[in-house]
Amino acid sequence: MTSSSAPLVRPNVTGHGVGQGVTLALDPPGRVSGRIRPGATQANRVTVLCDGRPWATVPVVTDASGASFACELPSVTEPTATAVEVRDGAVSLGEIRGQRVPRRNAHGLDAASVLAVYDRPLFSVPWLRFDGAHLVVSGSHLPPAGNPELLSVRFGDGVAYTFDYPLLSPEFANHFWYWPNAEHSNFVLIIDLPSCRAGSDPFQFEFVYPDMDCGSVLPAEHHRIGRRISIPPRLDMSICFPRDSTQLTRVQTWSDDQSVTFTGYNTFKALEALFAHYGVTRRPGVSILDWGCGHGRVTRHFIQNWPEARISGADIDAENAGWCRRHLNGSFSTVPLLPPTDLPGASFDGIFGVSVMTHLTAETQAVWLDEIARLLKPDGVPLITFAGPAAAAFSSVFRSRAWWQNWTGTGFDDAQHDPALDGKIEDNTYYRNTLHTAEYTRRVWSRHVDVVDIIPSAIGYQDMAVLRRKA
């Protein structure tokens, strides 16, 4: 987040070489910006060095007033003297010295505290367009390590595409205040279907950057699931959604028909891959429960792609569960706010719950974990998301220093009411915004089920807990 206070240093600095140079400014907490003098460079990007080390390569923006750039420097925990140099390749365009100070949000929380909890770049890919020949995917991805130059996408062989990144992202810059150069997060990916080679797969790609799996003890496949984007390959996946718009936006306020189709299918593919890894595969008679099905955003894709399976959905929202029962080819039921349910015990091979535990108190989580264990077959697998460190980082723009210290100390918070289901369920205090750490999840959930694995950021900003019934 850039401070609105007066800059620490704003000198004019001449670069090396005739006709080369920039006018530089270094503003607190640590943002260097520059106006490039006419003829200094024709480059569309410049590299910023911080204290002699390459830090980030950022775009040069050209408009009627000339060419300019901006770059946020690494976060610091205390005031730090800093030397900044700007280069076009090996040519220095200018230097400036000043001071960086800790970056803080409006509530006094410092960026270093957030990055200590979660230092991986978050992303969002909700938008998809099709013009009959080209798939246009758009979204945002934080620059890895603050450097937009490090991010790319990867397809299988034979896919023709262009990846336009970074583009300016005011929304990400404001929301991800703690992440250097979050303003350079937007992208547009264009897949040229007629130019793709026969037999190639243009409907799946993944984000790639250096050290993306560094320090992990989980299988590489688990990380690929979190970074992999699956594009709906069939138009009939978009058929039949609720026309009462509040059903689409009740929990995800930004949802529309397009984003629901795209994100629902992408979530289905991630769940399908995880189920397969733990032994639950598409086969005749396999039984799957979507616990917290909503309007069937994900369930519909299991119904469509697993025709041999028995697919069920359950939700406390009677309006949404009823819509699914009338319009989708599965078994859907309304369940009470607290178990038990009428669902038969030991009847499901797989249960998934996406963004359900994220809205329950600790006590309500406990009784639902016991119910999930009751519903599972002996070798069944529940995949249950929770809002962990990534979700906490996402919400940090609203958090105070005191809240952050309490959450990192206890590992849990369920104090905030979520009004999304007010008037739709009988208890308006029931639905919460709940965050907890992986350590809390293992320690507390293990009283009710076996916690086999925890996969960070497996579904969007939510972590995935892979569970089993206790022996």
Side-chain angles (χ1 to χ4, degrees):
M1 180 186 294
T2 303
S3 172
S4 60
S5 58
L8 293 175
V9 185
R10 190 177 290 277
N12 292 337
V13 181
T14 302
H16 304 296
V18 177
Q20 297 176 348
V22 293
T23 301
L24 292 173
L26 180 58
D27 294 340
R31 176 184 174 89
V32 62
S33 59
R35 303 291 304 181
I36 299 176
R37 294 175 180 172
T41 179
Q42 298 300 314
N44 58 9
R45 298 186 180 193
V46 293
T47 297
V48 175
L49 285 73
C50 184
D51 296 326
R53 303 180 65 176
W55 159 242
T57 299
V58 296
V60 172
V61 178
T62 302
D63 54 29
S65 62
S68 62
F69 67 90
C71 178
E72 288 186 339
L73 302 173
S75 299
V76 293
T77 57
E78 58 186 23
T80 303
T82 298
V84 179
E85 182 183 3
V86 180
R87 289 183 181 176
D88 170 12
V91 178
S92 178
L93 299 178
E95 300 177 3
I96 192 170
R97 292 181 179 274
Q99 190 178 60
R100 284 179 289 156
V101 297
R103 182 178 289 112
R104 303 183 190 278
N105 71 4
H107 308 287
L109 176 62
D110 63 283
S113 294
V114 180
L115 292 168
V117 167
Y118 195 81
D119 64 354
R120 312 302 283 175
L122 295 171
F123 61 88
S124 177
V125 191
W127 312 122
L128 176 67
R129 301 195 314 273
F130 178 54
D131 65 6
H134 302 88
L135 287 168
V136 181
V137 180
S138 55
S140 306
H141 192 300
L142 291 171
N147 187 357
E149 190 80 358
L150 299 180
L151 183 69
S152 61
V153 296
R154 180 166 59 205
F155 285 86
D157 293 340
V159 178
Y161 68 92
T162 59
F163 182 54
D164 192 3
Y165 177 86
L167 303 174
L168 289 178
S169 175
E171 299 83 3
F172 255 49
N174 291 330
H175 200 93
F176 294 95
W177 63 278
Y178 65 92
W179 194 270
N181 295 315
E183 67 183 281
H184 299 297
S185 291
N186 280 359
F187 70 85
V188 175
L189 172 65
I190 302 176
I191 305 166
D192 184 352
L193 296 179
S195 298
C196 292
R197 192 177 66 207
S200 63
D201 181 6
F203 300 105
Q204 185 169 269
F205 67 92
E206 59 183 302
F207 292 108
V208 179
Y209 52 89
D211 301 324
M212 53 194 178
D213 298 334
C214 182
S216 173
V217 298
L218 291 169
E221 174 64 16
H222 285 25
H223 289 279
R224 286 194 291 271
I225 287 171
R227 296 190 309 269
R228 185 181 298 147
I229 304 300
S230 297
I231 302 169
R234 294 164 46 177
L235 290 175
D236 61 356
M237 293 181 178
S238 301
I239 294 175
C240 190
F241 286 115
R243 293 299 82 202
D244 175 358
S245 61
T246 64
Q247 287 184 255
L248 291 182
T249 60
R250 193 164 294 162
V251 177
Q252 292 183 326
T253 57
W254 49 267
S255 290
D256 61 16
D257 296 339
Q258 178 194 94
S259 67
V260 165
T261 301
F262 190 5
T263 63
Y265 180 74
N266 190 62
T267 299
F268 157 71
K269 292 298 290 184
L271 291 167
E272 182 182 52
L274 284 171
F275 272 136
H277 183 85
Y278 293 97
V280 179
T281 57
R282 171 183 165 180
R283 62 182 186 274
V286 68
S287 56
I288 302 293
L289 172 66
D290 182 351
W291 174 58
C293 61
H295 54 74
R297 182 179 71 100
V298 181
T299 334
R300 65 176 58 241
H301 298 290
F302 274 97
I303 293 170
Q304 188 170 47
N305 292 278
W306 287 32
E308 311 94 333
R310 294 186 292 109
I311 307 298
S312 301
D315 205 288
I316 60 173
D317 183 343
E319 185 177 32
N320 266 329
W323 186 92
C324 291
R325 195 160 46 244
R326 294 189 301 273
H327 294 94
L328 301 180
N329 186 26
S331 175
F332 293 90
S333 58
T334 304
V335 294
L337 301 187
L338 298 173
T341 69
D342 293 333
L343 298 168
S347 57
F348 294 101
D349 298 284
I351 298 174
F352 67 90
V354 176
S355 197
V356 181
M357 289 297 192
T358 57
H359 297 289
L360 303 182
T361 65
E363 296 76 14
T364 306
Q365 286 187 359
V367 293
W368 275 112
L369 286 169
D370 289 338
E371 178 70 357
I372 288 169
R374 183 187 74 83
L375 297 175
L376 279 175
K377 293 181 180 179
D379 58 350
V381 178
L383 302 175
I384 308 296
T385 71
F386 64 94
F394 174 75
S395 71
S396 66
V397 67
F398 308 113
R399 304 299 184 185
S400 68
R401 182 180 180 185
W403 183 95
W404 196 265
Q405 290 175 336
N406 182 70
W407 182 76
T408 54
T410 64
F412 187 85
D413 181 81
D414 63 2
Q416 184 179 2
H417 169 62
D418 186 332
L421 293 185
D422 284 5
K424 301 298 180 181
I425 58 177
E426 55 268 31
D427 181 359
N428 285 343
T429 68
Y430 178 91
Y431 212 58
R432 322 296 294 177
N433 282 319
T434 303
L435 295 101
H436 43 95
T437 62
E439 293 76 15
Y440 172 93
T441 304
R442 287 190 182 276
R443 176 170 52 85
V444 175
W445 287 18
S446 292
R447 300 168 187 167
H448 308 272
V449 289
D450 286 336
V451 180
V452 177
D453 275 322
I454 290 179
I455 305 166
S457 305
I459 305 291
Y461 302 160
Q462 296 184 24
D463 297 349
M464 178 72 74
V466 182
L467 311 176
R468 298 273 192 184
R469 280 177 58 173
K470 283 187 172 293

